Amino acid sequence: TYVVTENCIKCKYMDCVEVCPVDCFYEGENMLVIHPDECIDCGVCEPECPAEAIKPDTEPSLEQWLSLNAEYSKTWPNITVKRDPPADHKEWDGKPGKLQQFSP
Ligand code: SF4
Ligand code: F3S
C-alpha cells in the first residue's frame, strides 16, 4: 500500500484524490489518508503530491504513518474531488514536527 505521511498535514493539496483509480483517499480536517486495504499499489498518486507526502510502505520507518492511515481511513469520509488547499498551505510545506498539528 501507499501511505500519506507527515508533510500532508496542513498542506492538504488534494491533487492525489483526482488520480486514484480506486478512490481510496479519506479526508480529515487537515490531512488525507489512504485506506491500506483498498489501495492497489498502482503508484500514480505518489508523483502527483506537490508536498511529496505519499510514500510506498516499502520505505523504512513508516510504521507510525501506516497505522495512522489504517486507523483514520475507517471513519473519515471518502474524498474524490479536489478543492482549494488551506490558505496558508505554502507556509507549512516542509515544516518539521507537523504531527503536533494533526487534527483527527
Ligand atoms: Fe490510489 Fe494507486 Fe495511490 Fe493506492 S497507489 S492510493 S490505488 S493512486
Ligand atoms: Fe496531502 Fe499531497 Fe494529497 S499534500 S492531500 S497527500 S496531494
Side-chain angles (χ1 to χ4, degrees):
T1 185
Y2 279 64
V3 184
V4 184
T5 64
E6 184 161 16
N7 205 33
C8 180
I9 296 170
K10 286 187 156 281
C11 285
K12 203 184 181 187
Y13 282 93
M14 294 174 271
D15 296 49
C16 51
V17 307
E18 298 268 335
V19 299
C20 180
V22 296
D23 294 341
C24 64
F25 282 90
Y26 293 81
E27 181 180 20
E29 189 180 314
N30 61 18
M31 178 184 188
L32 304 192
V33 292
I34 292 169
H35 195 309
D37 299 334
E38 296 175 359
C39 173
I40 58 170
D41 259 329
C42 72
V44 302
C45 57
E46 184 182 11
E48 293 299 318
C49 175
E52 298 184 12
I54 303 177
K55 316 271 187 205
D57 72 346
T58 48
E59 285 196 10
S61 311
L62 290 184
E63 293 81 8
Q64 111 174 272
W65 296 103
L66 183 57
S67 325
L68 187 148
N69 279 240
E71 179 178 354
Y72 290 100
S73 58
K74 286 185 210 154
T75 52
W76 286 355
N78 190 240
I79 172 170
T80 59
V81 178
K82 176 180 162 68
R83 300 187 316 276
D84 289 335
D88 60 350
H89 67 282
K90 285 210 175 84
E91 291 162 38
W92 287 98
D93 200 346
K95 282 215 173 144
K98 285 206 277 181
L99 184 53
Q100 292 169 3
Q101 307 291 329
F102 173 74
S103 297

XYZ file of all heavy atoms in Angstrom:
839
model
N 0.829 -1.200 0.000
C 0.000 0.000 0.000
C 0.871 1.260 0.000
O 2.038 1.197 0.383
C -0.927 0.009 1.252
O -1.797 1.128 1.170
C -0.145 0.081 2.546
N 0.285 2.342 -0.436
C 0.928 3.646 -0.315
C 0.371 4.325 0.931
O -0.721 4.003 1.395
C 0.718 4.479 -1.586
C 1.693 4.088 -2.671
C 1.659 2.816 -3.233
C 2.683 4.966 -3.110
C 2.575 2.431 -4.196
C 3.598 4.593 -4.085
C 3.550 3.326 -4.618
O 4.457 2.948 -5.566
N 1.166 5.277 1.472
C 0.857 5.856 2.767
C 0.989 7.377 2.671
O 1.949 7.877 2.092
C 1.875 5.332 3.821
C 1.546 5.839 5.207
C 1.952 3.810 3.802
N 0.035 8.094 3.249
C 0.171 9.545 3.342
C 0.940 9.856 4.625
O 0.615 9.347 5.698
C -1.194 10.250 3.351
C -0.998 11.776 3.351
C -2.045 9.842 2.145
N 1.967 10.684 4.504
C 2.860 10.934 5.639
C 2.799 12.405 6.089
O 2.011 13.201 5.573
C 4.304 10.528 5.284
O 4.770 11.369 4.220
C 4.377 9.060 4.850
N 3.670 12.712 7.024
C 3.613 13.964 7.787
C 3.429 15.247 6.969
O 2.704 16.150 7.363
C 4.891 14.074 8.620
C 4.904 15.295 9.526
C 5.916 15.154 10.648
O 6.800 14.285 10.573
O 5.791 15.920 11.622
N 4.106 15.343 5.833
C 4.065 16.642 5.151
C 2.708 16.971 4.532
O 2.483 18.102 4.094
C 5.177 16.770 4.109
C 5.541 18.223 3.854
O 5.480 19.055 4.768
N 5.871 18.549 2.619
N 1.786 16.029 4.537
C 0.417 16.355 4.099
C -0.272 17.282 5.100
O -1.093 18.119 4.709
C -0.399 15.076 3.930
S -2.100 15.366 3.387
N 0.073 17.137 6.372
C -0.628 17.897 7.423
C -0.514 19.401 7.154
O 0.583 19.922 6.972
C -0.052 17.547 8.822
C -0.305 16.076 9.141
C -0.662 18.440 9.900
C 0.425 15.560 10.381
N -1.662 20.039 7.094
C -1.787 21.490 6.851
C -1.352 21.933 5.456
O -1.393 23.129 5.146
C -1.059 22.305 7.934
C -1.833 22.304 9.259
C -1.196 23.233 10.261
C -2.142 23.721 11.325
N -3.027 24.794 10.910
N -0.901 21.017 4.610
C -0.657 21.356 3.196
C -1.881 20.937 2.386
O -2.465 21.734 1.667
C 0.604 20.679 2.673
S 2.106 21.467 3.277
N -2.270 19.669 2.535
C -3.534 19.164 2.006
C -3.879 19.681 0.602
O -4.907 20.315 0.391
C -4.657 19.510 2.984
C -5.886 18.611 2.876
C -6.975 19.099 3.825
C -8.203 18.224 3.782
N -9.309 18.788 4.576
N -2.990 19.392 -0.318
C -3.195 19.859 -1.699
C -4.368 19.169 -2.401
O -5.002 19.752 -3.270
C -1.926 19.603 -2.514
C -0.810 20.595 -2.293
C 0.185 20.365 -1.350
C -0.733 21.759 -3.044
C 1.227 21.264 -1.164
C 0.305 22.663 -2.872
C 1.278 22.411 -1.931
O 2.305 23.303 -1.748
N -4.571 17.902 -2.080
C -5.678 17.107 -2.643
C -5.526 16.739 -4.120
O -6.476 16.234 -4.724
C -7.044 17.785 -2.402
C -7.410 17.852 -0.928
S -8.925 18.780 -0.581
C -8.298 20.442 -0.384
N -4.377 17.006 -4.729
C -4.162 16.553 -6.114
C -4.266 15.023 -6.193
O -4.672 14.467 -7.219
C -2.769 16.961 -6.605
C -2.591 18.475 -6.680
O -2.927 19.165 -5.697
O -2.111 18.957 -7.720
N -3.874 14.365 -5.113
C -3.822 12.898 -5.078
C -5.180 12.254 -5.353
O -5.258 11.216 -6.016
C -3.294 12.445 -3.721
S -4.155 13.200 -2.305
N -6.249 12.858 -4.871
C -7.554 12.191 -4.948
C -8.078 12.093 -6.377
O -8.862 11.210 -6.709
C -8.623 12.877 -4.071
C -8.120 13.023 -2.639
C -9.059 14.236 -4.614
N -7.611 13.001 -7.220
C -8.120 13.048 -8.596
C -7.585 11.897 -9.443
O -8.167 11.559 -10.458
C -7.725 14.384 -9.250
C -8.310 15.603 -8.554
C -9.653 16.029 -9.137
O -9.904 15.729 -10.314
O -10.427 16.662 -8.404
N -6.461 11.325 -9.059
C -5.828 10.303 -9.910
C -6.027 8.877 -9.423
O -5.747 7.931 -10.157
C -4.311 10.563 -10.082
C -4.074 11.917 -10.759
C -3.556 10.482 -8.756
N -6.507 8.703 -8.204
C -6.587 7.336 -7.665
C -7.672 6.526 -8.379
O -8.842 6.908 -8.353
C -6.873 7.380 -6.169
S -6.994 5.724 -5.455
N -7.304 5.417 -9.012
C -8.290 4.647 -9.776
C -9.309 3.920 -8.901
O -10.358 3.496 -9.393
C -7.440 3.637 -10.565
C -6.185 3.494 -9.779
C -5.959 4.828 -9.106
N -9.019 3.758 -7.623
C -9.957 3.047 -6.751
C -10.542 3.954 -5.658
O -11.216 3.461 -4.743
C -9.325 1.769 -6.134
C -8.991 0.760 -7.214
C -8.075 2.096 -5.312
N -10.308 5.251 -5.759
C -10.908 6.229 -4.836
C -10.732 5.847 -3.366
O -11.701 5.778 -2.606
C -12.409 6.392 -5.145
C -12.643 7.030 -6.514
O -11.708 7.657 -7.050
O -13.763 6.892 -7.041
N -9.488 5.633 -2.971
C -9.273 5.153 -1.594
C -8.654 6.195 -0.678
O -8.012 5.849 0.321
C -8.480 3.858 -1.588
S -6.818 3.974 -2.223
N -8.879 7.488 -0.991
C -8.442 8.549 -0.075
C -9.592 8.954 0.843
O -10.753 9.019 0.422
C -7.960 9.777 -0.861
C -6.577 9.602 -1.422
C -6.400 9.053 -2.690
C -5.453 9.953 -0.691
C -5.126 8.872 -3.211
C -4.176 9.784 -1.206
C -4.007 9.240 -2.480
N -9.231 9.272 2.095
C -10.213 9.663 3.115
C -9.744 10.964 3.758
O -8.536 11.180 3.936
C -10.386 8.530 4.136
C -11.036 7.339 3.451
C -10.280 6.458 2.682
C -12.413 7.161 3.504
C -10.874 5.404 1.985
C -13.021 6.102 2.816
C -12.247 5.243 2.060
O -12.837 4.225 1.360
N -10.709 11.822 4.083
C -10.378 13.193 4.447
C -10.596 13.528 5.913
O -11.715 13.436 6.439
C -11.235 14.149 3.600
C -10.927 15.598 3.898
C -11.756 16.570 3.083
O -12.817 16.176 2.555
O -11.324 17.732 2.998
N -9.531 14.020 6.549
C -9.623 14.599 7.874
C -9.568 16.115 7.769
O -9.463 16.670 6.675
N -9.590 16.781 8.902
C -9.641 18.236 8.894
C -8.428 18.850 8.192
O -8.562 19.790 7.413
C -9.725 18.735 10.334
C -9.999 20.209 10.437
C -10.064 20.634 11.900
O -10.729 19.952 12.696
O -9.419 21.639 12.230
N -7.226 18.339 8.465
C -6.060 18.963 7.827
C -5.101 17.985 7.152
O -3.961 18.319 6.850
C -5.309 19.870 8.814
C -4.777 19.128 10.028
O -4.659 17.905 10.015
N -4.449 19.870 11.075
N -5.600 16.779 6.865
C -4.762 15.758 6.227
C -5.650 14.728 5.555
O -6.804 14.559 5.959
C -3.931 15.064 7.317
C -3.051 13.944 6.835
S -2.196 13.091 8.181
C -1.124 12.048 7.175
N -5.132 14.048 4.556
C -5.830 12.889 3.989
C -5.077 11.621 4.365
O -3.891 11.667 4.688
C -5.896 12.964 2.462
C -6.518 14.173 1.780
C -6.725 13.864 0.299
C -7.797 14.617 2.424
N -5.767 10.500 4.286
C -5.110 9.196 4.457
C -5.573 8.254 3.344
O -6.594 8.492 2.695
C -5.418 8.551 5.829
C -4.771 9.348 6.958
C -6.919 8.386 6.061
N -4.813 7.185 3.157
C -5.123 6.126 2.189
C -5.597 4.894 2.954
O -4.980 4.516 3.967
C -3.866 5.778 1.362
C -3.491 6.957 0.450
C -4.064 4.498 0.556
C -2.121 6.822 -0.212
N -6.673 4.274 2.486
C -7.128 3.018 3.108
C -6.216 1.882 2.636
O -6.204 1.548 1.457
C -8.572 2.734 2.713
C -9.225 1.695 3.578
N -8.653 0.470 3.838
C -10.391 1.719 4.274
C -9.447 -0.237 4.632
N -10.503 0.513 4.929
N -5.460 1.293 3.563
C -4.459 0.307 3.137
C -5.042 -0.957 2.504
O -4.360 -1.618 1.718
C -3.693 -0.026 4.422
C -4.544 0.447 5.543
C -5.429 1.531 5.013
N -6.285 -1.293 2.831
C -6.869 -2.498 2.236
C -7.494 -2.222 0.878
O -7.825 -3.158 0.152
C -7.952 -3.078 3.152
C -7.394 -3.473 4.506
O -6.178 -3.774 4.579
O -8.165 -3.464 5.476
N -7.671 -0.960 0.545
C -8.290 -0.613 -0.740
C -7.253 -0.207 -1.784
O -7.479 -0.355 -2.984
C -9.303 0.529 -0.542
C -10.464 0.111 0.343
C -11.428 1.263 0.662
O -11.203 2.405 0.222
O -12.411 0.989 1.374
N -6.125 0.314 -1.343
C -5.067 0.746 -2.267
C -4.549 -0.446 -3.056
O -4.244 -1.499 -2.480
C -3.926 1.366 -1.464
S -2.467 1.774 -2.432
N -4.455 -0.299 -4.385
C -3.972 -1.399 -5.232
C -2.505 -1.214 -5.614
O -2.000 -1.885 -6.504
C -4.838 -1.554 -6.509
C -4.858 -0.249 -7.337
C -6.272 -1.976 -6.118
C -5.492 -0.408 -8.727
N -1.819 -0.292 -4.929
C -0.375 -0.140 -5.129
C 0.005 0.290 -6.540
O 1.081 -0.072 -7.018
C 0.326 -1.481 -4.835
C 0.976 -1.514 -3.480
O 1.418 -0.452 -3.007
O 1.056 -2.614 -2.900
N -0.853 1.060 -7.189
C -0.545 1.441 -8.574
C 0.539 2.515 -8.636
O 1.232 2.649 -9.630
C -1.807 1.916 -9.287
S -2.389 3.528 -8.714
N 0.652 3.318 -7.567
C 1.720 4.308 -7.510
C 1.451 5.619 -8.230
O 2.294 6.517 -8.185
N 0.315 5.780 -8.882
C 0.118 7.013 -9.657
C -0.035 8.262 -8.784
O 0.241 9.366 -9.225
C -1.053 6.940 -10.674
C -0.861 5.805 -11.659
C -2.393 6.858 -10.010
N -0.452 8.098 -7.539
C -0.619 9.277 -6.679
C 0.711 9.844 -6.198
O 0.809 11.035 -5.915
C -1.490 8.930 -5.472
S -0.854 7.559 -4.476
N 1.721 9.016 -6.081
C 2.975 9.459 -5.460
C 3.555 10.708 -6.140
O 3.839 11.693 -5.468
C 3.993 8.312 -5.436
C 5.275 8.693 -4.723
C 6.335 7.589 -4.719
O 6.174 6.588 -5.444
O 7.324 7.749 -3.996
N 3.727 10.718 -7.466
C 4.303 11.915 -8.099
C 3.340 13.094 -8.194
O 3.759 14.213 -8.475
C 4.688 11.432 -9.503
C 3.817 10.260 -9.769
C 3.552 9.625 -8.435
N 2.058 12.871 -7.933
C 1.078 13.964 -8.030
C 1.102 14.869 -6.823
O 0.600 15.995 -6.870
C -0.346 13.401 -8.173
C -0.611 12.670 -9.471
C -0.438 13.566 -10.689
O -0.876 14.733 -10.651
O 0.162 13.092 -11.673
N 1.631 14.412 -5.699
C 1.579 15.209 -4.472
C 2.667 16.283 -4.476
O 3.855 15.965 -4.412
C 1.750 14.305 -3.246
S 1.834 15.276 -1.722
N 2.267 17.572 -4.497
C 3.263 18.642 -4.522
C 4.102 18.686 -3.245
O 5.196 19.241 -3.244
C 2.418 19.921 -4.652
C 1.089 19.464 -5.154
C 0.900 18.094 -4.582
N 3.591 18.100 -2.172
C 4.302 18.103 -0.893
C 5.159 16.851 -0.703
O 5.799 16.684 0.335
C 3.300 18.217 0.254
N 5.151 15.969 -1.707
C 5.895 14.695 -1.624
C 5.579 13.944 -0.331
O 6.456 13.395 0.335
C 7.404 14.936 -1.769
C 7.719 15.536 -3.134
C 9.209 15.720 -3.414
O 10.036 15.189 -2.647
O 9.519 16.380 -4.411
N 4.302 13.918 0.004
C 3.879 13.296 1.259
C 3.467 11.836 1.088
O 3.234 11.152 2.081
C 2.709 14.083 1.844
N 3.353 11.355 -0.146
C 2.883 9.977 -0.367
C 4.075 9.062 -0.645
O 4.893 9.357 -1.517
C 1.883 9.915 -1.534
C 0.700 10.852 -1.254
C 1.406 8.484 -1.764
C -0.311 10.924 -2.395
N 4.154 7.977 0.137
C 5.293 7.051 0.020
C 4.784 5.617 -0.023
O 3.765 5.305 0.599
C 6.200 7.151 1.254
C 6.491 8.543 1.736
C 7.707 9.098 1.070
C 8.093 10.433 1.681
N 8.834 11.282 0.799
N 5.539 4.738 -0.714
C 5.202 3.310 -0.629
C 5.588 2.765 0.741
O 6.570 3.226 1.327
C 6.064 2.678 -1.735
C 7.195 3.630 -1.949
C 6.702 5.001 -1.567
N 4.831 1.803 1.256
C 5.123 1.318 2.614
C 6.366 0.435 2.661
O 6.735 -0.072 3.710
C 3.908 0.608 3.227
C 3.634 -0.749 2.615
O 4.197 -1.075 1.539
O 2.838 -1.498 3.205
N 7.020 0.279 1.511
C 8.301 -0.441 1.474
C 9.438 0.457 1.963
O 10.529 -0.029 2.242
C 8.610 -0.899 0.036
O 8.412 0.207 -0.855
C 7.702 -2.034 -0.389
N 9.185 1.764 2.067
C 10.220 2.646 2.599
C 10.338 2.434 4.107
O 9.353 2.138 4.775
C 9.886 4.120 2.307
C 10.131 4.468 0.865
C 10.189 5.966 0.609
O 10.218 6.755 1.576
O 10.203 6.331 -0.566
N 11.550 2.614 4.667
C 11.736 2.375 6.099
C 11.048 3.420 6.981
O 10.803 4.541 6.542
C 13.266 2.445 6.276
C 13.761 3.217 5.105
C 12.784 2.999 3.991
N 10.763 3.018 8.214
C 10.286 3.930 9.266
C 8.940 4.591 8.987
O 8.698 5.712 9.385
C 11.314 5.033 9.553
O 12.584 4.484 9.737
N 8.073 3.898 8.283
C 6.749 4.471 8.033
C 5.659 3.837 8.893
O 4.486 4.102 8.695
C 6.370 4.321 6.552
C 7.148 5.192 5.565
C 6.610 5.002 4.163
C 7.080 6.663 5.956
N 6.057 3.007 9.863
C 5.064 2.254 10.649
C 4.023 3.169 11.278
O 2.832 2.889 11.245
C 5.736 1.442 11.764
C 6.612 0.303 11.279
C 8.006 0.738 10.848
O 8.366 1.931 11.059
O 8.737 -0.091 10.282
N 4.492 4.280 11.877
C 3.535 5.145 12.584
C 2.532 5.750 11.598
O 1.357 5.907 11.923
C 4.285 6.206 13.400
C 4.179 7.608 12.943
C 4.833 8.607 13.893
O 4.207 9.101 14.823
N 6.075 8.944 13.658
N 2.982 6.040 10.388
C 2.086 6.640 9.395
C 1.149 5.597 8.812
O -0.007 5.886 8.516
C 2.903 7.360 8.318
C 3.635 8.481 8.952
C 4.961 8.533 9.282
C 3.055 9.698 9.451
N 5.228 9.713 9.946
C 4.089 10.446 10.051
C 1.766 10.228 9.438
C 3.872 11.694 10.643
C 1.537 11.465 10.013
C 2.582 12.188 10.611
N 1.662 4.384 8.651
C 0.785 3.311 8.182
C -0.340 3.060 9.188
O -1.503 2.924 8.813
C 1.606 2.036 7.943
C 0.828 0.843 7.375
C 0.134 1.206 6.061
C 1.737 -0.357 7.186
N -0.021 3.058 10.482
C -1.078 2.860 11.489
C -2.077 4.007 11.467
O -3.275 3.793 11.602
C -0.550 2.792 12.920
O 0.659 2.181 12.979
N -1.565 5.228 11.301
C -2.471 6.386 11.282
C -3.398 6.318 10.056
O -4.598 6.567 10.150
C -1.631 7.663 11.284
C -2.363 9.001 11.432
C -1.478 10.002 12.170
C -2.748 9.578 10.079
N -2.847 5.946 8.903
C -3.677 5.806 7.699
C -4.729 4.717 7.902
O -5.902 4.894 7.574
C -2.813 5.478 6.473
C -2.136 6.692 5.843
O -2.356 7.019 4.681
N -1.274 7.385 6.595
N -4.313 3.593 8.471
C -5.242 2.473 8.681
C -6.351 2.862 9.650
O -7.526 2.579 9.431
C -4.480 1.250 9.202
N -5.976 3.556 10.716
C -6.965 3.908 11.736
C -7.998 4.898 11.204
O -9.202 4.687 11.311
C -6.250 4.505 12.956
C -7.234 4.924 14.045
C -6.529 5.474 15.291
O -5.291 5.425 15.375
O -7.260 5.961 16.177
N -7.545 5.995 10.619
C -8.482 7.062 10.273
C -9.240 6.797 8.975
O -10.332 7.337 8.784
C -7.768 8.414 10.277
C -7.409 8.819 11.691
C -6.128 8.635 12.195
C -8.390 9.309 12.545
C -5.824 8.944 13.516
C -8.098 9.625 13.863
C -6.811 9.440 14.348
O -6.519 9.735 15.653
N -8.703 5.958 8.111
C -9.447 5.658 6.877
C -10.712 4.856 7.180
O -11.607 4.751 6.348
C -8.564 4.905 5.875
O -8.085 3.705 6.424
N -10.806 4.302 8.392
C -12.028 3.566 8.775
C -13.194 4.503 9.036
O -14.348 4.099 8.916
C -11.776 2.770 10.064
C -10.923 1.550 9.872
C -10.871 0.789 11.210
C -9.570 0.047 11.371
N -9.215 -0.168 12.784
N -12.906 5.736 9.477
C -14.002 6.602 9.931
C -14.128 7.920 9.165
O -15.191 8.509 9.136
C -13.839 6.938 11.432
O -12.527 7.448 11.633
C -14.026 5.703 12.284
N -13.037 8.403 8.578
C -13.132 9.666 7.841
C -13.925 9.456 6.545
O -13.946 8.351 6.000
C -11.732 10.186 7.510
C -10.991 10.766 8.677
C -11.446 10.957 9.948
C -9.630 11.234 8.660
N -10.456 11.520 10.722
C -9.341 11.699 9.966
C -8.625 11.301 7.689
C -8.086 12.232 10.302
C -7.387 11.826 8.014
C -7.125 12.287 9.311
N -14.546 10.535 6.008
C -15.284 10.390 4.754
C -14.367 10.252 3.539
O -13.259 10.787 3.521
C -16.094 11.695 4.674
C -15.362 12.670 5.528
C -14.678 11.878 6.611
N -14.860 9.552 2.550
C -14.149 9.380 1.288
C -14.058 10.728 0.563
O -14.970 11.538 0.644
C -14.930 8.357 0.443
C -14.163 7.898 -0.790
O -14.625 8.083 -1.896
N -13.009 7.297 -0.600
N -12.946 10.955 -0.131
C -12.815 12.179 -0.936
C -12.294 11.825 -2.321
O -11.312 11.089 -2.451
C -11.908 13.239 -0.248
C -11.626 14.410 -1.200
C -10.616 12.647 0.289
C -10.951 15.611 -0.546
N -12.980 12.327 -3.350
C -12.585 12.012 -4.732
C -12.428 13.265 -5.588
O -12.002 13.175 -6.728
C -13.632 11.105 -5.410
O -14.894 11.779 -5.411
C -13.767 9.784 -4.676
N -12.813 14.423 -5.045
C -12.740 15.660 -5.825
C -11.883 16.674 -5.079
O -12.087 16.918 -3.887
C -14.158 16.240 -6.061
C -14.084 17.551 -6.830
C -15.028 15.240 -6.801
N -10.911 17.234 -5.801
C -10.008 18.228 -5.203
C -10.736 19.542 -4.954
O -11.540 19.985 -5.761
C -8.848 18.469 -6.180
C -7.869 19.552 -5.768
C -6.769 19.693 -6.821
C -6.011 21.014 -6.716
N -5.186 21.146 -5.515
N -10.447 20.154 -3.805
C -10.893 21.518 -3.559
C -9.652 22.403 -3.379
O -8.533 21.943 -3.532
C -11.775 21.573 -2.299
C -13.031 20.714 -2.400
C -13.943 20.941 -1.192
N -13.196 20.962 0.064
C -12.860 19.873 0.750
N -13.227 18.672 0.329
N -12.169 19.981 1.863
N -9.865 23.675 -3.003
C -8.719 24.540 -2.763
C -8.012 24.098 -1.487
O -8.667 23.815 -0.483
C -9.172 25.994 -2.587
C -9.651 26.589 -3.899
O -9.220 26.099 -4.959
O -10.456 27.536 -3.852
N -6.681 24.082 -1.511
C -5.963 23.762 -0.270
C -6.120 24.897 0.747
O -6.585 25.980 0.391
C -4.505 23.622 -0.726
C -4.401 24.279 -2.045
C -5.783 24.314 -2.644
N -5.725 24.659 2.014
C -5.818 25.720 3.021
C -5.044 26.964 2.566
O -4.033 26.853 1.880
C -5.153 25.100 4.257
C -5.075 23.636 4.002
C -5.134 23.426 2.534
N -5.523 28.138 2.965
C -4.928 29.397 2.507
C -3.439 29.489 2.852
O -2.653 30.052 2.097
C -5.685 30.566 3.125
N -3.057 28.916 4.011
C -1.650 29.033 4.440
C -0.838 27.769 4.132
O 0.190 27.522 4.760
C -1.597 29.340 5.941
C -2.262 28.246 6.786
O -2.921 27.350 6.212
O -2.114 28.286 8.023
N -1.276 26.979 3.145
C -0.617 25.685 2.923
C 0.864 25.813 2.566
O 1.668 24.984 2.946
C -1.355 24.873 1.851
C -1.290 25.451 0.479
N -2.070 26.520 0.090
C -0.546 25.117 -0.593
C -1.814 26.813 -1.176
N -0.889 25.976 -1.614
N 1.235 26.876 1.861
C 2.649 27.013 1.440
C 3.568 27.233 2.649
O 4.704 26.768 2.661
C 2.809 28.173 0.463
C 2.273 27.837 -0.927
C 3.042 28.583 -2.011
C 2.609 28.162 -3.401
N 1.411 28.907 -3.847
N 3.060 27.943 3.666
C 3.876 28.190 4.861
C 4.219 26.905 5.607
O 5.218 26.835 6.312
C 3.128 29.108 5.844
C 2.966 30.521 5.351
C 1.867 31.252 6.126
O 1.755 31.045 7.345
O 1.119 32.011 5.475
N 3.354 25.917 5.473
C 3.560 24.675 6.225
C 4.375 23.652 5.457
O 4.856 22.671 6.042
C 2.208 24.070 6.603
C 1.560 24.856 7.700
C 0.602 25.820 7.567
C 1.844 24.765 9.095
N 0.273 26.335 8.795
C 1.018 25.696 9.757
C 2.715 23.988 9.860
C 1.041 25.873 11.141
C 2.730 24.161 11.233
C 1.902 25.095 11.856
N 4.548 23.845 4.172
C 5.237 22.836 3.354
C 6.677 22.649 3.840
O 7.447 23.610 3.866
C 5.218 23.274 1.884
C 5.464 22.114 0.935
O 5.916 21.047 1.410
O 5.216 22.272 -0.265
N 6.990 21.427 4.263
C 8.352 21.115 4.683
C 8.659 21.397 6.142
O 9.758 21.104 6.609
N 7.711 21.964 6.884
C 7.976 22.230 8.305
C 8.113 20.923 9.075
O 7.323 20.007 8.882
C 6.824 23.030 8.928
C 6.890 24.493 8.576
C 6.399 25.371 9.721
C 6.651 26.818 9.364
N 5.600 27.712 9.842
N 9.090 20.838 9.972
C 9.223 19.622 10.792
C 8.200 19.600 11.929
O 7.642 20.642 12.294
C 10.646 19.727 11.343
C 10.960 21.194 11.350
C 10.135 21.825 10.236
N 7.964 18.409 12.456
C 7.134 18.287 13.665
C 5.667 18.566 13.444
O 4.952 18.964 14.363
N 5.189 18.330 12.224
C 3.792 18.674 11.955
C 2.793 17.709 12.579
O 1.602 18.000 12.618
C 3.545 18.766 10.442
C 4.107 20.034 9.833
C 3.364 20.418 8.567
C 3.860 19.684 7.365
N 3.154 20.085 6.140
N 3.271 16.562 13.071
C 2.333 15.632 13.705
C 1.604 16.309 14.874
O 0.453 16.011 15.162
C 3.058 14.369 14.175
C 2.195 13.259 14.761
C 1.056 12.865 13.821
C 3.034 12.041 15.114
N 2.267 17.258 15.518
C 1.616 18.009 16.605
C 0.418 18.820 16.124
O -0.422 19.225 16.916
C 2.617 18.969 17.263
C 3.706 18.242 18.031
C 4.837 19.173 18.452
O 4.791 20.377 18.230
N 5.856 18.596 19.062
N 0.359 19.091 14.830
C -0.728 19.890 14.260
C -1.882 19.016 13.761
O -2.887 19.527 13.277
C -0.219 20.706 13.058
C 1.002 21.540 13.345
C 0.702 22.679 14.288
O -0.402 23.209 14.313
N 1.688 23.044 15.092
N -1.681 17.688 13.811
C -2.678 16.760 13.260
C -4.020 16.903 13.965
O -4.094 16.928 15.189
C -2.150 15.330 13.420
C -3.135 14.272 13.039
C -3.432 14.033 11.704
C -3.765 13.498 14.017
C -4.341 13.041 11.352
C -4.671 12.503 13.668
C -4.951 12.280 12.339
N -5.085 17.051 13.178
C -6.442 17.106 13.743
C -7.230 15.893 13.313
O -7.530 15.749 12.140
C -7.196 18.327 13.217
O -6.585 19.500 13.598
N -7.582 15.004 14.234
C -8.345 13.828 13.849
C -9.791 14.175 13.464
O -10.248 15.255 13.731
C -8.321 12.934 15.069
C -7.756 13.709 16.178
C -7.235 15.011 15.648
Fe -4.773 5.080 -5.141
Fe -2.827 3.955 -6.567
Fe -2.249 5.842 -4.771
Fe -3.036 3.445 -3.945
S -1.133 3.904 -5.054
S -3.750 5.400 -3.173
S -4.511 2.888 -5.551
S -3.448 6.094 -6.648
Fe -1.848 15.558 1.061
Fe -0.332 15.527 -1.051
Fe -2.730 14.616 -1.236
S -0.419 17.141 0.467
S -3.838 15.856 0.220
S -1.139 13.761 0.019
S -1.675 15.795 -2.769
